[in-house]
Amino acid sequence: MLSYQHAYHAGNFADVHKHLTLHAVIDHLLRKDSPITFIDTHAGRGVYPLTAEETARLHEYREGVLPLWEARRALDEEPLLAGWLAALAEAQPRAGRLSHYPGSPWWMGRRLRPRDRQLLFELHPGEHGHLTGQAPAEGVRAIHGDGLKGLVERLPVATPRLCVLIDPSYERKAEYAEVAEALLATLRKARHAVVLVWYPLLPAGRHHELLEAVKAGGIRKVWRSELRQRQPGQEARGMFGSGMLVVNPPWGLDARLADAMARVVPLLGDTADYRGDWWVGE
């Protein structure tokens, strides 16, 4: 099934959660000079115009990135948010106007150094076409294929360090188990990789299958964070929250995100909340 297109949801609260976490991880990794390979298993289009037909249909960015953008001057005192919003401003063709939302390929690639590498997997032919239609940067390769299989097949990488984002749509129930299997296989081949896994919080609660499989697989140092836009049960259908697992998280990531999310949550409404903890400790 290849019906999912992220353009309908670009810039929503889950993107804020996911990309703020990714930005914080990359910011820490780039403090060292040794080269990094970045792998994105479900890359999508790269950059999404907020006026596109798909995005304009649901306007989910209005309850996600837009409140942060409008409050950006008041958020300057929070270092992580200030840096993230300054980066977001770089993606706008017109200064001061939020018209585009960048996806994970952009957040990964914007600070790519000469010896770093980036692999972008996308299986949907239309989305892959959008991705490859954008100007390629040196060291970046877009691959039309299954990102979970491609990730495992290309390990180990040539660079000393590896950062992976696993971010599927979870259209199929089996994807929760497939993500867990790919994560375990990745850590067997690249024990010190920093791996970020996004998952949706839905009324069916299938993300617990992923979480329990990760714990049962024997991985250590797994940090979990969840941003809820509303509490379960307030509406019968739809995603009510966003979850992230970070394997081998950089030191201090939990505190940096907690400080940033303390400023984000009030902007998302009275029912929003954030929590972070160690899903599996050292």
Side-chain angles (χ1 to χ4, degrees):
M1 184 185 299
L2 292 173
S3 62
Y4 180 83
Q5 296 179 61
H6 190 66
Y8 290 96
H9 312 287
N12 66 4
F13 77 96
D15 269 356
V16 170
H17 180 213
K18 173 173 48 185
H19 294 140
L20 188 59
T21 304
L22 180 62
H23 174 80
V25 168
I26 292 172
D27 188 56
H28 186 97
L29 293 177
L30 292 180
R31 295 175 187 176
K32 293 184 179 180
D33 292 333
S34 58
I36 308 167
T37 294
F38 297 98
I39 298 180
D40 190 340
T41 62
H42 298 77
R45 298 187 183 185
V47 177
Y48 301 88
L50 297 178
T51 55
E53 179 183 353
E54 302 95 331
T55 310
R57 185 173 298 181
L58 298 177
H59 293 296
E60 290 189 8
Y61 71 92
R62 292 180 178 176
E63 296 181 340
V65 66
L66 184 59
L68 276 70
W69 177 261
E70 292 177 337
R72 62 192 183 280
R73 289 180 178 82
L75 298 174
D76 276 350
E77 63 190 47
E78 206 298 307
L80 179 58
L81 276 175
W84 186 79
L85 287 163
L88 180 62
E90 296 174 9
Q92 310 310 314
R94 289 177 56 187
R97 180 171 177 259
L98 181 66
S99 61
H100 290 69
Y101 186 80
S104 49
W106 188 90
W107 290 105
M108 277 187 165
R110 58 177 288 269
R111 295 171 65 187
L112 211 65
R113 303 166 302 183
R115 291 194 297 158
D116 295 334
R117 294 293 177 265
Q118 186 180 19
L119 294 179
L120 305 172
F121 289 93
E122 179 52 55
L123 186 57
H124 192 292
E127 299 298 274
H128 178 71
H130 281 286
L131 182 64
T132 55
Q134 298 166 20
E138 185 178 353
V140 179
R141 184 183 175 197
I143 302 166
H144 183 206
D146 186 314
L148 295 181
K149 291 180 180 178
L151 164 64
V152 177
E153 288 171 354
R154 282 164 175 76
L155 298 179
V157 295
T159 57
R161 295 186 293 159
L162 171 65
C163 178
V164 179
L165 174 64
I166 300 176
D167 174 27
S169 65
Y170 298 96
E171 283 183 291
R172 297 180 295 106
K173 298 176 185 178
E175 284 187 280
Y176 294 93
E178 291 167 0
V179 166
E181 291 168 6
L183 177 61
L184 293 170
T186 297
L187 271 295
R188 284 194 293 268
K189 289 189 171 187
R191 184 164 57 95
H192 299 295
V194 178
V195 186
L196 299 88
V197 178
W198 178 84
Y199 57 89
L201 300 181
L202 296 162
R206 292 195 177 95
H207 65 283
H208 292 294
E209 179 183 354
L210 166 63
L211 294 175
E212 294 302 330
V214 169
K215 183 175 285 187
I219 300 175
R220 294 291 175 264
K221 294 180 67 177
V222 183
W223 186 72
R224 172 183 64 166
S225 72
E226 293 182 351
L227 174 63
R228 288 173 170 80
Q229 189 179 45
R230 64 179 193 275
Q231 300 308 307
Q234 289 183 322
E235 292 183 19
R237 300 178 61 186
M239 183 175 68
F240 63 83
S242 164
M244 291 289 295
L245 297 178
V246 185
V247 184
N248 295 320
W251 184 86
L253 175 68
D254 52 348
R256 290 191 75 196
L257 273 174
D259 290 345
M261 287 297 177
R263 303 296 301 276
V264 170
V265 166
L267 298 173
L268 299 182
D270 295 339
T271 59
D273 72 16
Y274 172 81
R275 64 192 68 176
D277 59 16
W278 285 98
W279 178 241
V280 184
E282 295 190 55

